[in-house]
């Protein structure tokens, strides 16, 4: 289920013309699916990797103004970790009625027991640009409690091994092959 090159590149790009993706390059049917296992991973590092792959920053045809990335599935959200005393001190704020004045502050530990998916979703949302494009891209994140997810038919590429690595030290051959590029 390799993605292949963007439609505008396959159609033929003239030499010495700057490539800019077209709307056909952002079709959801052509997006590659990735999976990250959150068990034992640090929250911020996991969220950084997920946000980069949702935006498509790992691809040579990355364009910050278009939705060029893929879908990211995060499993075992309840087993994500934080460093230091953040488990007791980190708080999450929300309006309980949807209106200012009524609010609830919850610690990382209590939210992890109640809704572990929300922790990862909020961390990734903090790393995606705010606006129309960011609101559209955040829907490409799927977070699940437990090891099972309903997206096996999309044959997601496992990128868990890239969580603690720098881009320059990463072996992206499997990721590039899934996107139709030579490794």
């Amino acid at each position: 289920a390799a993605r292949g090159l963007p439609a505008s590149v396959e159609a033929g790009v003239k030499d010495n013309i700057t490539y800019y993706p077209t709307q056909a390059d952002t079709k959801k049917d052509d997006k590659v699916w990735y999976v990250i296992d959150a068990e034992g991973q640090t929250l911020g590092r996991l969220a950084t990797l997920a946000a980069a792959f949702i935006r498509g920053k790992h691809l040579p045809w990355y364009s910050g103004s278009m939705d060029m990335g893929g879908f990211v599935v995060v499993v075992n959200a309840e087993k994500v970790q934080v460093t230091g005393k953040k488990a007791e001190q980190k708080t999450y704020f929300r309006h309980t009625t949807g209106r200012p004045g009524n609010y609830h502050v919850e610690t990382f530990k209590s939210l992890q027991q109640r809704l572990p998916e929300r922790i990862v979703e909020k961390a990734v949302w903090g790393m995606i640009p705010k606006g129309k494009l960011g609101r559209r891209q955040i829907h490409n994140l799927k977070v699940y409690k437990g090891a099972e997810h309903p997206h096996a038919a999309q044959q997601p590429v496992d990128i868990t091994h890239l969580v603690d690595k720098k881009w320059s030290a990463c072996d992206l051959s499997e990721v590039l092959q899934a996107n139709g590029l030579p490794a």
Side-chain angles (χ1 to χ4, degrees), residues 16-30:
N16 291 334
I17 293 180
T18 303
Y19 166 73
Y20 191 77
T22 63
Q23 195 65 32
D25 298 332
T26 64
K27 290 191 312 188
K28 291 213 180 270
D29 296 340
D30 294 338

Side-chain angles (χ1 to χ4, degrees), residues 13-65:
V13 176
K14 296 177 185 171
D15 291 337
N16 291 334
I17 293 180
T18 303
Y19 166 73
Y20 191 77
T22 63
Q23 195 65 32
D25 298 332
T26 64
K27 290 191 312 188
K28 291 213 180 270
D29 296 340
D30 294 338
K31 291 186 180 295
V32 177
W33 287 70
Y34 305 100
V35 66
I36 302 174
D37 187 358
E39 185 172 1
Q41 300 294 341
T42 306
L43 176 63
R45 294 178 185 269
L46 177 138
T48 303
L49 182 71
F53 274 76
I54 287 170
R55 295 192 65 206
K57 293 187 99 172
H58 61 291
L59 298 171
W61 51 77
Y62 167 71
S63 177
S65 61

Side-chain angles (χ1 to χ4, degrees), residues 96-154:
T96 52
T97 61
R99 296 178 53 87
N102 291 340
Y103 63 90
H104 187 72
V105 178
E106 211 169 354
T107 64
F108 175 87
K109 233 179 206 178
S110 65
L111 186 59
Q112 192 174 30
Q113 291 170 353
R114 196 172 66 85
L115 286 171
E117 300 92 348
R118 188 170 294 167
I119 291 173
V120 176
E121 288 168 358
K122 280 183 162 273
V124 174
W125 171 244
M127 298 179 186
I128 288 191
K130 311 307 178 278
K132 286 169 73 173
L133 179 62
R135 286 190 297 272
R136 188 166 53 234
Q137 286 177 332
I138 196 65
H139 293 290
N140 295 348
L141 174 69
K142 315 291 183 188
V143 185
Y144 297 100
K145 180 179 178 179
E148 298 299 318
H149 63 85
H151 307 290
Q154 282 74 26

